[in-house]
Amino acid sequence: MSRRLEELAANLDAVRARIRAACSAAGRDPAEVRLIAVTKTRPASDVRSLRELGVTDFGENRDAEAAAKAAACADLDLTWHFVGQLQTRKCRGVAGYADVIHSVDRLRLVRALGAAARRAGREPRCLVQVNLDPPVPGAAGPEPGPAHRGGVRPGAALELAAELDREPGLALAGVMAVAPLPGHGPGTDPAAAFAVLARTAARIRAGNPAATVISAGMSGDLEAAIGAGATHVRIGTALLGDRGPLVM
Ligand SMILES: *Cc1c(COP(=O)(O)O)cnc(C)c1O
């Protein structure tokens, strides 16, 4: 075993142990929680190593990097998750390789992704990204504050999900969220935020029984996410190591 493979194997064991412990604490079956390895900034060789170790789901947040890695690993039969903020002009590219798109947060994106998917002859599963940041005091309208990292407000998620569901070429599969940045006052507790996500997911699922995915939880908060019902956790640093301070 190469040294990197050993390191990844040890990290994977530790992450799987955390997932099992969180499931046990929540009275859930670990088989209900899928692990997505977020390999952004990491080479395709890491993807191959993790595949050797049994990981089948990979997440990326930048189109150019994701496209290159998916192409380099095309022989592996992987499931690719696009988890980054998405611009309409990138939709054509992303629809070409992504199996699941986690960051659908506006109508224009629904339309552009639908057109791109139909043209590519593919039907990606799509998640409505929900913004869980506390509303900025004094900010007018539904637009989130300056730390905006994507997502619709929980109150607007149902309507966007309905549009997604109606869009030919796209399959509505559920919701995704990133926990609020910590330490920004009340409303930034991850467990409370993930509970809001779970309620939003349940409302969407009531009208769309196939929308079962709750994508939540990263290296720092996977326990809170699993406690709130996450079906998919997106793990970068805990599996692959630090990306360094400048890369998000
Ligand atoms: C980078 C990233 C992750 C992984 O974060 P870690 O803290 O490294 O586990 C998960 N989700 C999204 C949307 C990301 O951009």
Side-chain angles (χ1 to χ4, degrees):
M1 235 193 212
S2 77
R3 193 147 162 208
R4 179 60 172 158
L5 189 59
E6 267 174 42
E7 184 175 75
L8 291 173
N11 291 348
L12 181 59
D13 279 350
V15 167
R16 291 218 186 277
R18 282 177 64 190
I19 293 173
R20 277 195 306 275
C23 284
S24 152
R28 299 184 58 197
D29 179 351
E32 294 170 13
V33 179
R34 186 168 285 265
L35 170 62
I36 301 171
V38 179
T39 45
K40 62 190 184 198
T41 78
R42 297 296 177 177
S45 58
D46 277 356
V47 175
R48 289 191 174 272
S49 297
L50 285 168
R51 179 67 194 88
E52 245 180 85
L53 296 168
V55 177
T56 55
D57 288 70
F58 292 87
E60 290 285 336
N61 71 337
R62 289 176 55 246
D63 172 48
E65 185 184 349
K69 240 174 270 183
C73 300
D75 58 311
L76 292 181
D77 192 24
L78 306 174
T79 299
W80 286 100
H81 298 256
F82 190 84
V83 303
Q85 281 190 257
L86 188 50
Q87 297 159 287
T88 48
R89 65 190 171 84
K90 304 280 187 183
C91 285
R92 244 179 108 174
V94 170
Y97 57 81
D99 300 292
V100 189
I101 299 166
H102 290 230
S103 45
V104 181
D105 64 356
R106 54 200 189 277
L107 190 56
R108 260 167 60 84
L109 208 46
V110 170
R111 301 286 180 249
L113 271 177
R118 294 192 295 275
R119 179 180 195 139
R122 304 183 82 244
E123 189 174 20
R125 280 166 277 158
C126 291
L127 308 181
V128 171
Q129 183 177 350
V130 179
N131 186 303
L132 299 177
D133 289 336
V136 177
E143 278 309 308
H148 188 41
R149 291 169 300 160
V152 285
R153 284 294 178 195
L158 198 59
E159 196 180 320
L160 189 64
E163 293 288 355
L164 229 173
D165 189 44
R166 280 195 289 270
E167 182 72 22
L170 304 180
L172 172 66
V175 297
M176 175 273 216
V178 177
L181 291 170
H184 285 243
T188 59
D189 169 50
F194 289 142
V196 171
L197 181 67
R199 285 197 294 276
T200 306
R203 280 206 302 275
I204 292 174
R205 211 165 46 235
N208 307 267
T212 56
V213 172
I214 300 178
S215 166
M218 315 194 337
S219 294
D221 55 23
L222 71 87
E223 286 82 3
I226 288 173
T231 63
H232 290 62
V233 292
R234 310 177 307 267
I235 308 299
T237 26
L239 267 184
L240 293 132
D242 270 328
R243 290 180 295 271
L246 292 177
V247 191
M248 173 62 191

